[in-house]
Amino acid sequence: MSASSSAETPSPTCSPPASGTSGPVCAANRREEESVDDPEEANSIAAPARVYSTPQQDKLQQNIVLLKNQLTSLVALDQSDLAPVGTRKELKRLRTQISEEENKLKIAQRDAQRKRREREKKRTALNEALASDPTLRKKLKIRGQTGRPRVEVDQPLLLQTIVKMAQAHGGADARRRSESMQLCRTLDDLVAELRLAGFNISRSATYLRLLPRRANAGDGPRHITTVPVKLVKAQTSEHRRHIDTEFALASVRQVECVVSVLGPAQAFFMSQDDKARVPLGITAANKQAPLIMHMDYRVTLSDHDFVVAPAHKLIPSVYAACKIKQGAIGSEGAVTYSGPTYVAIRSGKHSSSTAASHATDFNTIYGLAEFREFVRNKHGDTKPVVAISVDGGPDEAPRHRAVLAEAARHFKNMDLDALFVVANAPGRSAYNRVERRMAPLSKELSGLVLPHDFFGSHLDASKKTTDTSLEQANFGAAATILGDVWSDLVIDGHPVVAEYVPNPAPADEGGDAEDQHADEEETAKAEWLADHVRQSQYLLQIVKCKNTSCCSPLRSNLATILPNRFLPPPVKVTQDAEGMLTVPEPTSTEGNFPNLYALSALNIPNKPTVYDTFCPSVQSELVPRTCEHCGLYFPSQTAKNEHIKIMHSRAFIKENPAARIRPYKVLSTRVTMQQREYLCQFQDSTSDDVTWLDEDDLDVETVHFEEVPIPSTEIPVVSNVVEWMASPFAEDQ
C-alpha cells in the first residue's frame, strides 16, 4: 500500500547522524567551506566558511525519524491478523503528524537560506563601503581577522619603547657593584614606565614580550614576539647563605655605628679585597652585547684565549677608602661607598697576597696625596680610629694570628685609639664595599692584552722559564701598563691610584736570641694582647688601655661611645605579644640583633661576656676557646693555648703534648720568612673556616695532608726501566 511504501522509504534530504553529533544532519543544511583566491577578499571581514549548527532543524528531523519508525511498525502490525481495533485510525494520525513535521522542516530550511542570502547581501554592501572609505574600518573597529588582536596592532611602538628603556640610559649602578640600568629594575617598574609613556598594557602581557627567564620555562612557547630584553634575578639572591650571616652583619653594623658617631674628623673607614687575577698574554676581558632587564651586562672569555704559561698572572689588591658623612650620627648610611681607590699590583708567580703584603699597602696609603683627606685630620696627624672591612679570606680574616700581628704593629706605630677589623660571613663578601669598585675596574680590561715579553721572551718552546731576572722585568712591565690603565679611571668623582709593587727581597737570616730574652718578650707580648686585644670569629678589636704608662691619652671621643673600651657582644632580643623583651637561647633562631644604641640602653640581665656567644657556627667551640683561668675568649684553640702557655703555665706545652692542635686536614703549605705554615681545616668547623698555623703548633704526626700535588717540571730519573713501564693494574691470577 502507498502509505507503507512512503513510510519505509527514508527522506532523500536527510542522512544518518555523523559520529559525535546529536542527530542526523540534512544535506540541505550542510555548508561547504569556501575558498578565497583573491588576496583582497582574504583581507575582508568575511570569516572562513564553516558548518553552522541547526538545533531547530535537527530536532524536527529527529521527530520525523521517530514518527516514521512508529509508522513502519504499525503498518507491519496492520498487515497481520493480530492488529487491534483502531490501528488504521492511528496510522492516519501518524501520517498527518509526519506531514506537519516535514512542512515545518521545509519552512525552517527556507528561512535559513533566506537569512543566509540577507547576510551575504549585507556583507557585500559593508565590504564595498569599507573599500570606498578606508577610515570607516577604524571607526567601526572592524578587523581583517577573527580573534582578539595583539597589543602591537593598536600600539605599534611598544616593542621599540621597551628596547629603548632597557638600553638608552645603561651604565654602572649607583653602588658601583655591577653594570646595571637605573630605569627599570623590575617588571613592575617597566610596566609603570610604559604606562607613563602612554601604553596601555598589563603586567603579564609585558612579561610575554620579554625573553623567558630560562630556556626550559613552562611559559616559553607563549613568548612569541619578544625583544632582546630579559629579566634577571637580583645578584643578592644568588649569594650563598651562611648560618653566621646575621651575627657577622651585627658586628659590621656596630663598627659602622661607632664610626658614624666619631665622624670623618676622627675615624677612617677602608674596605679591602683581592680582585680576580689578571692573566698575561691574552685578552683580559671581552664584553658581549647586553641582554638586559634588571639589567646586567654579561662578560665572557673567548674559547681560544689561553694563559701563556702557568702562574703568568697579576694579583691586584684593591683598597677602597669610604667617605663618612658629617653629622650622620648612628645612621646606617653614614659610611658611604665613595672615595679614592688604591690598587697594588703584584706578580702572581713571584709574590702572594698575605697579611704582610696588605700591611705594606696600608702603610703606602698613608703616604698618598689622594688619601690624605681620609687618613689624616686637618692638623696632619693620623686619625685616631681606623676601621677595616675585609672579605674573611685566610690572609685577611680578623681571627687569624698574622692579621693580629700586623694590626697590632699599625696600632702602635700610628698611635691609634682603636683599630677594628671586621668581616662578613663566608659567601657574603659581595656586600663588602670594595666590591662596588670592581665593576669599573673590570670594564677597563675590555679588549686589553697585557704583554708577557715586553723586554723579550723569557720562555722556551716548552713554556718554561729560562731567565728569572728577565721574567720579573716582564711581569713588572705588564703590571705597570695595567696600573697606567687603571690610574686614568675616575670612580664616582674620586681618583684611582694603581701601581706595581715589586717582589720584596728575602729577609736576612739573623741569629737566635737567647732563651731568657725570648721568654721575656713573649710574656710582655702576651700581657699586652690580653689587655688591648679582643679577637673573635669575625671581629678584631685593638683599643688603648687606661694605663698612661702604657698608652697615651685618647685623641678621640671613643670613651664616650664605649665606656668599657670594647664593643659589647651582639645579643638577640625577642618581644612577646605583651611587649616584654627577653633574650632567647644562643641556639635559638628567633629574635633580632639590636643596634649598638639599643643594646647599650637595654638592661639585659646576665649579659654574655663571650663575644661569639650568639655565633651559630662556633657554639660547640665556645668553652674550648675560653681561658679557664682569666675568662678571655680567643678565636682558636691555638691562641688560647699560647695564652695559657705564657700567662698561666710556663711549661704548658711541654707537660701537655696533647695540647698541640690536631686539624682535620691540611689544605696547603707555605714558607714565610723562616717559618713553615699549614692551611688547616678542622673537622667540627665549616668548610670556610680555615686558618694558617705554624708548624710548631701542630701535631705533625697526626696531620692528614690533602695538598694538591704540583706536577714536576723536571725529567724524572728512571733507575729501573721494567718497574717504571710496568702497568699499575695487577692481572688476575
Side-chain angles (χ1 to χ4, degrees), residues 504-510 673-674:
D508 296 334
E509 297 183 2
M673 299 302 179
Q674 305 301 323

Side-chain angles (χ1 to χ4, degrees), residues 455-492:
F455 296 104
S457 179
H458 55 273
L459 302 173
D460 57 10
S462 301
K463 303 299 180 181
K464 297 179 181 179
T465 303
T466 58
D467 191 337
T468 305
S469 59
L470 180 60
E471 182 183 46
Q472 295 183 3
N474 286 331
F475 268 91
T480 302
I481 295 174
L482 181 59
D484 293 341
V485 172
W486 278 341
S487 296
D488 294 336
L489 184 64
V490 177
I491 302 177
D492 200 13

Side-chain angles (χ1 to χ4, degrees), residues 665-700:
K665 60 183 176 182
V666 173
L667 305 178
S668 180
T669 61
R670 70 180 183 186
V671 178
T672 60
M673 299 302 179
Q674 305 301 323
Q675 182 68 41
R676 178 177 292 275
E677 296 180 350
Y678 298 89
L679 183 61
C680 302
Q681 177 183 345
F682 299 93
Q683 186 173 7
D684 57 349
S685 302
T686 62
S687 59
D688 299 288
D689 188 10
V690 295
T691 182
W692 289 101
L693 297 177
D694 292 339
E695 185 178 13
D696 297 337
D697 299 326
L698 295 175
D699 188 356
V700 183

Side-chain angles (χ1 to χ4, degrees), residues 130 133-142:
L130 293 177
D133 187 2
T135 60
L136 187 62
R137 183 184 297 273
K138 185 175 182 181
K139 293 179 181 179
L140 298 178
K141 296 183 179 179
I142 298 176

Side-chain angles (χ1 to χ4, degrees), residues 370-391:
E370 292 81 0
F371 284 77
R372 182 177 179 83
E373 177 186 354
F374 290 81
V375 300
R376 300 184 183 275
N377 55 26
K378 60 181 181 179
H379 304 292
D381 300 327
T382 58
K383 294 182 179 180
V385 177
V386 175
I388 303 175
S389 173
V390 298
D391 66 349

